[in-house]
Amino acid sequence: MADVIDVHTHYVPRGWPDLTDLGGPEAPWLRIESEKEAVIMTGSAEFRRIQSDCWDAEVRLRDMDADGVRTQVVSPTPAFFHYGRGGAEAAKIARIFNDLALEITAPAPDRLIPFCQVPLQDPDAACRELERAVAAGHRGVEIGNHVGDQDLDSEGVVTFLQHCAALDVPVFVHPWDMDTSPRLDRWMARWLTAMPAETHLSILALVLGGVFDRIDERLRICFAHGGGSFAFWLGRMENAWHGRNDVIGTSAYPPSHYVGRFSVDSVVFDDRALRLLVDTLGEDSVMVGSDYPYPLGERPVGEVVRKSGFLTEHARYKITRGNAERYLGL
């Protein structure tokens, strides 16, 4: 399994221009602590400690070789999306980070595939930055799972997704900006419960929002973290669509009809959960993802898929590489 494609990894540049004028007083900046360590700051608050594997291609490639990963999709860290700012400001921020991403991936263009970010709150600006970034060398786009109170079925986001389909650009959806409360601020509960719930809600928005009914089937879209809890609760959604069609009969077909219109990554950490994904969504709709280089990710990358006893070798090949080749247009 030395040819694994990992569709879910992130980068952070080793510094960027001052964003205060664009991102406000809580704009992120990087506090460098050593050649190998830094802290992402939001204003005066610490957001996350990181290491050089976020920006150093040599370190990244060494880890990839150790884990048998041939290729990585390298996506933004969602903290830099800035969907709450004006479209013009967010577009400038996106341009800065997209250009820095190309510098990070430049040492190994055959192994590190950059995905850009866009100002999703401004569909026209998002389409323009997508076109610019793809022309510059990006191979896909990562978006957050919502813009404020607007889910992925909002008209602006649908317009952007249609543009991605028309340009044949793959989309990776990552949860971000989770709600906070005293109940969620313990035990990393936002990451352990809110992130899966946000991803589930995003897929639900595409289904019950009727997006899959009216968007081009060429759209290649993948959801992080195994699609959240969607696979586990598909039966509940199906039952509700039939039992309360007067309320949620907002899609042309029941939810199970849309299985196959999207993919999910495999970073669920448990063979039983992986089996549920494959049984529910199909072996053609799951791809290895690790969430590298963050500590809640999977290392070695693809370990659950590699050791799974229920997968046939053909299914294992599709999940580790074949499906990603189709998703990425390789």
Side-chain angles (χ1 to χ4, degrees):
M1 284 181 56
D3 290 329
V4 171
I5 298 176
D6 184 351
V7 301
H8 180 182
T9 83
H10 298 286
Y11 77 89
V12 178
R14 193 175 187 274
W16 51 86
D18 185 357
L19 301 178
T20 304
D21 289 344
L22 300 173
E26 301 301 312
W29 56 282
L30 198 66
R31 189 178 76 202
I32 303 294
E33 299 200 330
S34 71
E35 285 297 312
K36 296 182 178 180
E37 297 181 331
V39 180
I40 301 173
M41 304 291 294
T42 55
S44 60
E46 290 190 3
F47 173 73
R48 177 177 293 165
R49 291 187 168 271
I50 61 172
Q51 296 180 320
S52 58
D53 46 14
C54 281
W55 64 76
D56 190 326
E58 184 177 342
V59 174
R60 188 176 285 262
L61 291 167
R62 186 164 62 242
D63 286 346
M64 291 167 63
D65 289 340
D67 288 0
V69 175
R70 169 63 186 171
T71 307
Q72 276 187 351
V73 172
V74 184
S75 294
T77 295
F80 305 128
F81 284 158
H82 284 88
Y83 291 165
R85 305 298 295 180
E89 290 86 355
K92 292 177 182 178
I93 293 171
R95 178 184 287 261
I96 289 169
F97 280 96
N98 289 340
D99 290 348
L100 290 170
L102 294 177
E103 295 180 12
I104 292 171
T105 57
D110 59 328
R111 299 188 66 186
L112 302 176
I113 297 179
F115 269 32
C116 65
Q117 67 183 67
V118 296
L120 197 60
Q121 66 270 52
D122 184 332
D124 290 339
C127 291
R128 287 194 299 269
E129 178 56 23
L130 178 73
E131 293 174 0
R132 189 199 73 86
V134 169
H138 284 269
R139 304 279 291 278
V141 60
E142 179 188 65
I143 63 172
N145 69 302
H146 67 103
V147 178
D149 290 330
Q150 296 184 349
D151 281 308
L152 298 187
D153 60 327
S154 69
E155 287 304 315
V157 176
V158 172
T159 295
F160 176 74
L161 293 177
Q162 288 171 330
H163 197 58
C164 292
L167 296 180
D168 208 22
V169 173
V171 179
F172 187 72
V173 181
H174 197 287
W176 84 296
D177 192 31
M178 292 86 68
D179 287 336
T180 181
S181 74
R183 295 175 62 230
L184 289 173
D185 288 341
R186 302 186 297 167
W187 316 310
M188 294 191 74
R190 281 189 289 165
W191 279 262
L192 298 178
T193 64
M195 268 197 169
E198 286 284 349
T199 306
H200 176 146
L201 181 58
S202 300
I203 301 175
L204 200 64
L206 292 183
V207 172
L208 297 183
V211 178
F212 285 134
D213 293 326
R214 54 197 177 98
I215 205 164
D216 197 311
E217 292 190 6
R218 288 181 297 170
L219 178 68
R220 289 174 281 152
I221 187 166
C222 177
F223 290 84
H225 309 134
S229 51
F230 181 87
F232 188 86
W233 288 116
L234 177 58
R236 181 176 178 86
M237 288 177 272
E238 192 85 354
N239 180 67
W241 192 92
H242 289 287
R244 288 304 311 270
N245 194 265
D246 58 317
V247 177
I248 70 167
T250 49
S251 56
Y253 303 96
S256 63
H257 175 83
Y258 303 96
V259 168
R261 291 294 302 273
F262 61 92
S263 299
V264 301
D265 72 19
S266 66
V267 61
V268 293
F269 307 100
D270 187 281
D271 186 63
R272 294 162 296 184
L274 179 66
R275 180 190 287 269
L276 176 66
L277 283 186
V278 174
D279 286 349
T280 305
L281 302 181
E283 62 188 35
D284 293 326
S285 297
V286 182
M287 301 181 284
V288 164
S290 69
D291 214 353
Y292 176 96
Y294 294 133
L296 292 186
E298 182 188 41
R299 293 292 306 277
V301 174
E303 186 78 346
V304 172
V305 174
R306 182 181 290 110
K307 291 184 174 180
S308 175
F310 76 89
L311 291 172
T312 66
E313 286 308 306
H314 184 56
R316 202 184 319 274
Y317 166 77
K318 288 196 281 188
I319 293 170
T320 56
R321 184 173 186 86
N323 295 338
E325 287 179 331
R326 185 178 68 252
Y327 170 68
L328 297 169
L330 299 180

